[in-house]
Amino acid sequence: MSTIVDVDTGRVLGIVDGRDSRGVGAWLKARPAAWLSCIETVGIDPSAAFRKALRENLPDAAVSVDHFHMVLLANDMLTQVRQRVSREQNGRRGLKSR
């Protein structure tokens, strides 16, 4: 399921079955054109399906990744780099057993 939320108010605007572009796109198409034209910025998780639905239905809206997912991706990348550097320098990961 996908939840569509107004980030200014925290109010749930809609809940869509699935996590694909068709569901989100259908939800957006069911909204009035005047309402859609007022949307300037959309915050999403980094999903290609969501991005596709937005490109098709809100082509003029700016898209940004929400802070939770941005921090999650940054932490994952930091862990990968830290582990790679440790393996390169020590030939292994973690502490050397005694």
Side-chain angles (χ1 to χ4, degrees), residues 16-38:
V16 178
D17 284 335
R19 294 185 48 78
D20 59 17
S21 63
R22 287 175 298 170
V24 174
W27 186 89
L28 288 168
K29 285 181 178 127
R31 310 281 75 78
W35 185 81
L36 291 174
S37 68
C38 293

Side-chain angles (χ1 to χ4, degrees), residues 4 12-13 18 22 25-26 32 39 44 52 55 65 68 73 79 83-84 88 94 98:
I4 301 164
V12 174
L13 301 174
R22 287 175 298 170
I39 298 174
I44 63 172
K52 178 181 177 187
R55 274 195 315 264
V65 176
F68 171 81
L73 289 171
T79 296
Q83 289 174 344
R84 178 183 52 82
E88 288 171 357
R98 298 174 195 236

Side-chain angles (χ1 to χ4, degrees), residues 36-37 39-42 54-63:
L36 291 174
S37 68
I39 298 174
E40 297 175 357
T41 307
V42 179
L54 295 175
R55 274 195 315 264
E56 292 173 354
N57 297 283
L58 297 170
D60 298 326
V63 177

